[in-house]
Amino acid sequence: MSSKRTIKSLSALFIAISFAFAGNALVVGSMGVILKEREVGELIIGIIGACFFIGASMSTISAHIFLAKIGHIRAFGLFCAVFAISIICHSLSQNLLLWVFLRLMLGYCYYAILMSIESWINQKAKNAVRSRVLSFYEVVFYLSFGCGLLLIGLPFSESELFIISACLIMFSSIPLNLMRIKEPPLPQNSSISLPSIASIPPLARAGSFIAGMVMGGFFALGSVFALSQGLSVQQASVFMFCAMIGGFLGQSCIGFISDALGRKFAIIISASVALLAAVLFLFAPANVAVQCGLAVLLGSGIFCLYSLSLARANDMLEDSTKRVEIGRSVLFVYSLGSLVAPLLLGIAMEFFGANGFMGFYALSLAFLIAFGLDKPNKEGKSTTKNLKNFIGD
């Protein structure tokens, strides 16, 4: 099946997740802005942001049970409902301990939704077109997430932001119940267990961990970084949106590069583009236009890393019934990276300010590039040979 036919067969799913991603962007992206306006320190913001990813890690350990028992569509609806309830409960109190618990719930539900979505997509997509289908999925993510972030800059109160976010999450359940779509067969029953990290290929494992660090860190503290550069709340939301635009642009072409040249080559290219942006940020003036331009470049690199790592992991999977298992394993590694990033970034920014944020990115991405260069392509061919085949001898 071609990538276009695969995408068309999943149209209801892509429509549904566009609402979910926009709602998640609004509630996650607004946290840093809200807490910063309350004069909460960067380290505390980082700790609260990390709680989202603690819930995410818990989800990758246990949420697959729901998929095996009730199927993808019902699990999607269940976790969307709990997600929306958790968002609305933020309006009940400004107590930070309550927010810690609610962030745990948000992380658990959101990653359960991702697990359902990604195992569904990987079940439908063949190896030859997997990167292109996953790239389309990522394009939907970044456009939807970007639109959600833009809402932060509008003059809404805190409670209004939470209500709008919850409504978007609930809207995501409608397309799957109105449109005809064939869900994958139920995965094999399994008990609560740690995902099999050892089953993930080394480059996919490193790529998903670094992707979690740079993406999770950006979602948790990207708005705080923008505010620390002297940008207003409206400008910070535009800054975050520009990074999403970069992700859209990167995903628009990286899938073709990855399918033609191999995942390793694509991962190194994406990490190199992001590393260049991080280094430029260290020397760039605190000008809105410059900051937003570099955000596009940064986003075009970091936001491709997860889908490329997921594609590499699935390429090497021989048993198709293990899609959920490999998917939750990659998500678990990603969530671990996302968990430590807000904590490390909070510490770095406490001591080094905005430069601590981008210095952390530069070191993380440089490590991934060095690690990737040492790993072979899956098919055993060199990157140089793949490049020659792609452009013609």
Side-chain angles (χ1 to χ4, degrees):
M1 184 182 291
S2 68
S3 58
K4 290 183 179 179
R5 289 182 60 190
T6 302
I7 291 170
K8 185 176 181 180
S9 70
L10 295 170
S11 57
L13 179 63
F14 287 125
I15 293 171
I17 62 179
S18 64
F19 287 105
F21 290 150
N24 179 66
L26 183 55
V27 70
V28 172
S30 62
M31 183 204 70
V33 174
I34 292 171
L35 294 179
K36 188 69 174 177
E37 289 182 338
R38 294 184 193 171
E39 298 183 351
V40 177
E42 283 84 355
L43 180 57
I44 300 299
I45 295 175
I47 292 173
I48 295 174
C51 291
F52 180 93
F53 299 105
I54 294 176
S57 300
M58 295 167 60
S59 181
T60 60
I61 294 172
S62 59
H64 62 286
I65 295 175
F66 294 92
L67 292 181
K69 289 186 178 297
I70 63 178
H72 290 70
I73 292 179
R74 289 183 177 180
F76 185 92
L78 168 66
F79 288 113
C80 282
V82 179
F83 197 166
I85 292 170
S86 300
I87 293 172
I88 293 174
C89 286
H90 279 77
S91 300
L92 298 178
S93 172
Q94 294 187 355
N95 185 288
L96 295 183
L97 290 179
L98 174 64
W99 278 42
V100 164
F101 172 75
L102 294 176
R103 291 286 149 173
L104 286 170
M105 292 299 300
L106 291 182
Y108 189 97
C109 293
Y110 182 64
Y111 272 64
I113 292 170
L114 289 183
M115 192 185 306
S116 175
I117 294 166
E118 291 171 2
S119 63
W120 194 336
I121 293 174
N122 278 304
Q123 187 73 28
K124 286 283 188 179
K126 304 300 181 184
N127 283 356
V129 299
R130 177 166 287 113
S131 266
R132 275 167 279 182
V133 176
L134 286 174
S135 288
F136 181 82
Y137 159 65
E138 295 291 340
V139 165
V140 172
F141 169 77
Y142 294 120
L143 287 179
S144 304
F145 206 95
C147 290
L149 289 173
L150 283 179
L151 294 176
I152 298 173
L154 298 179
F156 293 123
S157 65
E158 288 183 21
S159 60
E160 289 172 336
L161 286 175
F162 294 137
I163 291 172
I164 294 170
S165 177
C167 287
L168 288 171
I169 296 295
M170 293 306 298
F171 279 141
S172 66
S173 296
I174 296 176
L176 293 181
N177 289 285
L178 287 182
M179 301 172 68
R180 296 181 61 184
I181 184 170
K182 184 179 179 180
E183 65 178 323
L186 293 178
Q188 294 178 342
N189 282 318
S190 58
S191 59
I192 295 176
S193 61
L194 285 172
S196 179
I197 297 177
S199 65
I200 308 173
L203 182 55
R205 186 164 58 240
S208 57
F209 184 79
I210 297 299
M213 291 179 68
V214 295
M215 292 170 63
F218 189 83
F219 294 145
L221 289 168
S223 58
V224 178
F225 167 77
L227 292 173
S228 68
Q229 293 281 74
L231 276 62
S232 65
V233 172
Q234 290 75 21
Q235 290 169 339
S237 69
V238 173
F239 172 86
M240 298 286 285
F241 176 75
C242 286
M244 299 302 107
I245 291 297
F248 166 76
L249 295 175
Q251 291 292 349
S252 298
C253 60
I254 199 65
F256 295 95
I257 296 173
S258 175
D259 286 334
L261 304 181
R263 318 305 185 203
K264 169 187 169 179
F265 183 83
I267 288 172
I268 292 173
I269 287 294
S270 296
S272 298
V273 170
L275 176 59
L276 173 63
V279 172
L280 291 176
F281 262 115
L282 293 173
F283 302 99
N287 177 278
V288 176
V290 173
Q291 295 289 314
C292 289
L294 289 177
V296 173
L297 185 63
L298 181 70
S300 67
I302 64 173
F303 292 134
C304 296
L305 294 175
Y306 175 71
S307 63
L308 292 172
S309 301
L310 182 62
R312 184 172 175 94
N314 275 276
D315 284 350
M316 305 186 77
L317 186 66
E318 297 180 357
D319 185 357
S320 62
T321 63
K322 300 292 185 180
R323 297 292 181 195
V324 171
E325 179 61 32
I326 196 68
R328 81 183 185 103
S329 298
V330 174
L331 263 179
F332 180 72
V333 174
Y334 173 88
S335 67
L336 290 179
S338 300
L339 170 61
V340 301
L343 299 174
L344 295 177
L345 283 170
I347 295 171
M349 294 182 72
E350 282 280 351
F351 287 98
F352 304 105
N355 283 341
F357 187 94
M358 284 304 164
F360 172 85
Y361 272 58
L363 292 174
S364 301
L365 293 163
F367 169 81
L368 179 59
I369 294 169
F371 187 87
L373 288 172
D374 187 50
K375 295 294 176 282
N377 292 335
K378 179 202 169 191
E379 63 275 16
K381 299 176 183 178
S382 68
T383 301
T384 303
K385 187 171 181 180
N386 280 341
L387 182 59
K388 288 181 179 179
N389 290 337
F390 182 60
I391 63 178
D393 293 327

